[in-house]
C-alpha cells in the first residue's frame, strides 16, 4: 500500500525518441519508485518500468497541449526528463508555459545558444577549463588549406548536423576530401577544432545534475574504454570511478553554474598530454545514464 501511494503521488514523463538514453532513464526512475510515462512521437518502449505511454503528434506544435493536458491529470506535479536534444530544446523554449504544470529542465529559453560549441567553449574557458583551439569555417569563403593540423571537423551544435558527418583530418588531402563531402551535405558552416592526438589519451564522461539553488552534483566519472563506431560513437565499454576524476571539479561546477541550466547534464572531456580538455556538454542524460544508478547514486 505504501509503494502504491508513492506511485500515485510521483510521476515522471520521459520525453523524446526511443533508444538507450530513454531506456536507462526509465529504469533509473522506476528503481526510485516513480511511476514513469514515456511520451514519444514514435512508439512505446518494452520496459518493465514503463507504466504508461503517451503518443505525441509528429508535429511538435501539438506537444504543448498534449503534455499540459496529461500533466494536469496526474496526482501532484510531474517532472519531465528529455532524452534527446530536440526534446531538451522543446522544454526550454516552452519552459514558462510548462512550468505551470511540471518540473522541467531548462536554461530560461537560452538552451539553443548554449548548445553552440563555441559558446560552451567560451564559458568553459572562463571557468578555468582547458578547451582545444577551434574556429568556425564558412563553407563559401573558408581557405583551401586547413587552419591547423591535425583537426576534427564537426557541426557547431547538435541541431546543426549529425555525428555521422564528423571528419578527422591529418593532412591537406583529407581536409580537401572532408570539405567536399560537407559541401555536398549542404553545410554552410562547420567547426574546425584541433584534434587531440596523444597515443595514450582517453575520454571521460561526467553525468550530474544542476539544481535551482546553484548546487551542482557530479557523483562519478565514466572512463571510456571502447566506443562504437570508433572515434565518434556511443560508449560500449567503460570503467566507473567515484567522484570527479582527472578533471578540476571546482572549475566544472563553476562552468555548469555559468550556463544557468537546471537539470541533468552530461559532460565529455578528453585526457590528453597530461591535461583534461573540455569537449562539450549535453543538456540531458547521457547514453550511459544508468551507470550512476547501478553504482548507487540515482540522479
Amino acid at each position: 500500500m505504501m509503494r502504491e501511494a508513492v506511485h500515485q503521488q510521483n510521476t515522471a514523463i520521459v520525453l523524446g525518441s526511443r533508444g538507450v538514453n530513454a531506456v536507462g532513464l526509465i529504469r533509473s526512475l522506476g528503481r526510485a519508485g516513480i511511476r514513469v510515462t514515456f511520451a514519444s512521437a514514435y512508439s512505446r518502449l518494452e520496459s518493465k518500468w514503463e507504466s504508461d505511454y503517451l503518443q505525441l503528434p509528429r508535429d511538435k506544435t501539438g506537444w504543448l497541449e498534449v503534455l499540459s493536458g496529461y500533466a494536469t491529470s496526474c496526482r501532484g506535479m510531474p517532472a519531465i526528463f528529455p532524452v534527446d536534444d530536440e526534446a531538451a530544446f522543446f522544454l526550454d523554449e516552452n519552459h514558462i508555459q510548462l512550468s505551470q504544470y511540471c518540473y522541467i529542465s531548462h536554461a530560461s529559453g537560452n538552451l539553443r545558444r548554449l548548445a553552440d560549441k563555441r559558446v560552451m567553449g567560451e564559458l568553459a574557458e572562463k571557468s578555468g577549463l582547458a578547451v582545444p583551439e577551434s574556429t568556425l569555417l564558412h563553407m563559401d569563403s573558408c581557405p583551401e588549406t586547413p587552419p591547423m593540423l591535425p583537426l576534427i571537423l564537426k557541426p557547431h551544435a547538435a541541431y546543426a548536423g549529425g555525428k555521422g558527418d564528423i571528419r578527422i583530418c591529418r593532412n591537406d588531402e583529407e581536409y580537401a576530401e572532408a570539405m567536399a563531402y560537407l559541401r555536398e551535405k549542404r553545410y554552410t558552416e562547420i567547426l574546425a577544432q584541433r584534434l587531440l592526438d596523444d597515443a595514450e589519451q582517453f575520454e571521460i564522461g561526467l553525468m550530474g545534475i544542476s539544481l535551482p539553488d546553484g548546487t551542482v552534483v557530479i557523483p562519478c566519472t565514466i572512463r571510456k574504454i571502447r566506443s562504437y563506431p570508433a572515434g565518434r560513437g556511443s560508449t560500449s565499454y567503460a570503467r566507473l570511478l567515484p567522484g570527479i576524476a582527472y578533471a578540476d571539479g571546482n572549475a566544472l561546477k563553476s562552468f555548469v553554474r555559468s550556463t544557468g541550466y537546471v537539470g541533468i547534464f552530461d559532460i565529455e572531456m578528453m585526457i590528453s598530454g597530461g591535461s583534461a580538455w573540455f569537449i562539450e556538454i549535453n543538456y540531458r542524460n547521457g547514453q550511459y545514464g544508468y551507470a550512476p544508478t547501478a553504482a548507487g547514486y540515482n540522479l
Side-chain angles (χ1 to χ4, degrees):
M1 290 299 292
M2 287 296 292
R3 187 171 179 81
E4 179 63 21
V6 169
H7 281 184
Q8 289 176 4
Q9 293 173 6
N10 297 274
T11 299
I13 301 169
V14 173
L15 175 68
S17 52
R18 291 166 52 94
V20 291
N21 287 24
V23 171
L25 184 54
I26 290 171
R27 190 177 182 188
S28 291
L29 289 162
R31 285 279 301 273
I34 295 170
R35 187 177 187 278
V36 185
T37 295
F38 180 50
S40 175
Y42 301 88
S43 60
R44 70 181 305 144
L45 286 169
E46 297 302 323
S47 170
K48 72 175 185 178
W49 303 107
E50 181 184 333
S51 301
D52 198 6
Y53 171 66
L54 183 62
Q55 177 74 55
L56 297 175
R58 292 283 182 179
D59 187 347
K60 286 188 177 65
T61 57
W63 284 20
L64 187 60
E65 182 179 357
V66 174
L67 288 169
S68 300
Y70 186 84
T72 56
S73 71
C74 296
R75 180 176 176 180
M77 185 177 284
I80 305 184
F81 294 86
V83 296
D84 57 41
D85 295 317
E86 286 304 314
F89 294 145
F90 171 81
L91 293 180
D92 185 65
E93 290 159 2
N94 295 279
H95 73 282
I96 294 176
Q97 300 95 314
L98 284 171
S99 292
Q100 301 175 56
Y101 313 103
C102 316
Y103 298 108
I104 63 170
S105 57
H106 69 89
S108 301
N110 295 313
L111 203 58
R112 282 192 183 270
R113 181 182 67 83
L114 293 167
D116 189 313
K117 291 179 173 61
R118 296 167 299 170
V119 174
M120 63 176 72
E122 290 173 2
L123 292 173
E125 277 192 316
K126 289 179 181 178
S127 297
L129 297 171
V131 182
E133 175 190 357
S134 64
T135 184
L136 187 69
L137 300 179
H138 299 279
M139 305 299 283
D140 58 352
S141 61
C142 63
E144 293 301 316
T145 56
M148 64 193 85
L149 282 175
L151 62 75
I152 182 169
L153 298 171
K154 53 187 175 182
H156 67 85
Y159 56 78
K163 282 187 175 181
D165 293 332
I166 293 174
R167 291 293 181 270
I168 292 174
C169 310
R170 289 187 168 84
N171 53 52
D172 291 357
E173 183 179 355
E174 290 180 350
Y175 174 75
E177 291 175 356
M179 294 300 284
Y181 167 83
L182 293 166
R183 286 191 179 98
E184 186 178 339
K185 296 283 287 187
R186 300 187 181 279
Y187 279 87
T188 57
E189 52 189 16
I190 199 79
L191 188 72
Q193 188 172 71
R194 183 170 295 283
L195 178 69
L196 300 173
D197 208 18
D198 177 5
E200 302 298 322
Q201 71 187 27
F202 56 90
E203 187 177 350
I204 63 171
L206 301 122
M207 268 194 64
I209 186 166
S210 179
L211 303 177
D213 66 358
T215 300
V216 177
V217 179
I218 303 176
C220 60
T221 302
I222 303 288
R223 176 171 174 169
K224 301 183 182 184
I225 296 173
R226 184 179 301 135
S227 297
Y228 183 84
R232 62 175 186 272
S234 295
T235 304
S236 56
Y237 188 62
R239 181 177 292 113
L240 188 144
L241 305 168
I244 298 174
Y246 308 108
D248 184 335
N250 289 330
L252 279 167
K253 292 179 180 181
S254 175
F255 160 67
V256 174
R257 281 191 288 269
S258 74
T259 66
Y261 170 76
V262 173
I264 289 177
F265 60 83
D266 174 29
I267 294 175
E268 297 176 14
M269 301 189 77
M270 192 70 74
I271 310 304
S272 179
S275 298
W277 298 85
F278 172 84
I279 302 301
E280 67 177 354
I281 180 173
N282 296 304
Y283 301 99
R284 50 169 173 76
N285 70 304
Q287 53 88 20
Y288 46 79
Y290 185 70
T293 298
Y297 197 105
N298 193 334
L299 285 164

